[in-house]
Amino acid sequence: MKKGLLNLITDVPGVQVGHVTLEEKLNEQDTICTGVTAILPHSDDPFQYKVPAESFVLNGFGKTVGLIQLEELGLMESPIMLTNTFSVGAVLEGTLSYMLEKNPEIGDSTSSLNIVVGECNDSYLNSMRLMAVRPEHAIAVLESAAIGEFEQGAVGAGKGMICYGVKGGIGSSSRIAEHEDLAYTTGVLTLTNFGRANECKIASWEQDTLEKPDGSVIIVVATDAPVDARQLKRLAKRAAIGLGRTGTHIHNGSGDIIIAFSNANKVPHISKEAFVHQQVLRDDHPMMNELFQAVIESTEEAVYQSILHAETTTGRLGRVIEKGIF
């Protein structure tokens, strides 16, 4: 399918991405090799203008925050934050502080706030027990998030991640779904930390022998197509097909989680209306199949982009993960 202008998730109008990367060798044992990545659904306040969203848990070996309410209400009211496993709490706290500063009424004159945080285990390269990511890093990444181009590979939450035995991290891609006079953009961002070299369909590197946790992947799907939460879960399931195309068979200890949202229909937090009036795509319209294909293709390429852009990285205990060459 036709790619978006930048071939990034930020091709979806309004979507913003930011990274904070932490890298420091402390001593012969410990190295900080981690970070935070934020995806904002649009340029307005995400609490004041919520968006339809859903998640699909392909394998539940993960420590995410916020998916229960996402599943129940089908609305997202925060940025999507990505980091390492032991930093979920710090990122949650920082994101909460950021959102409370912008919305003094949260927890006072109006409801509480559901923040979404996803994680992968980067402890092979990162001294994860030191919990180097602090709340201020989450605040910094939210303040720096922007539309347009952003770095991929070993940056942000992806700094210490490993994919198919080589350096992985942040990858992204986008596709244009078109049918007659309709055209919508679908973008995907992946945090890749999974798989063995012999699984990868296009790997040219030798089989790895790393003794590390099974790993995980977080996939974020964004679109400007007018679809509701139920349909977004259908899109999220198709991302699993794109992931499978790369070769993984989803290990027992892998947390493989997909979050999908649409910013076509924003839902205001405050309204005197009894009803929500939205235009939603019919399931049986040919455009739905185009969106399915867009998600699959974008996910597959985003995984490869995470490897393509990553650089050889040295982490704790002097461990080195090489750049993958296709």
Side-chain angles (χ1 to χ4, degrees), residues 200-247:
C200 185
K201 293 295 187 183
I202 63 172
S204 59
W205 48 90
E206 297 181 1
Q207 182 173 350
D208 64 278
T209 57
L210 301 178
E211 295 184 6
K212 64 178 185 62
D214 284 343
S216 300
V217 60
I218 303 293
I219 302 171
V220 178
V221 178
T223 185
D224 62 351
V227 288
D228 62 19
R230 178 187 57 79
Q231 293 168 320
L232 284 163
K233 182 177 280 289
R234 301 186 75 202
L235 294 184
K237 290 177 179 179
R238 268 62 181 187
I241 305 298
L243 180 65
R245 279 186 176 184
T246 69

Side-chain angles (χ1 to χ4, degrees), residues 2-19:
K2 184 191 301 181
K3 299 180 182 183
L5 179 63
L6 300 175
N7 196 24
L8 296 170
I9 193 173
T10 46
D11 285 324
V12 179
V15 172
Q16 303 168 69
V17 171
H19 302 300

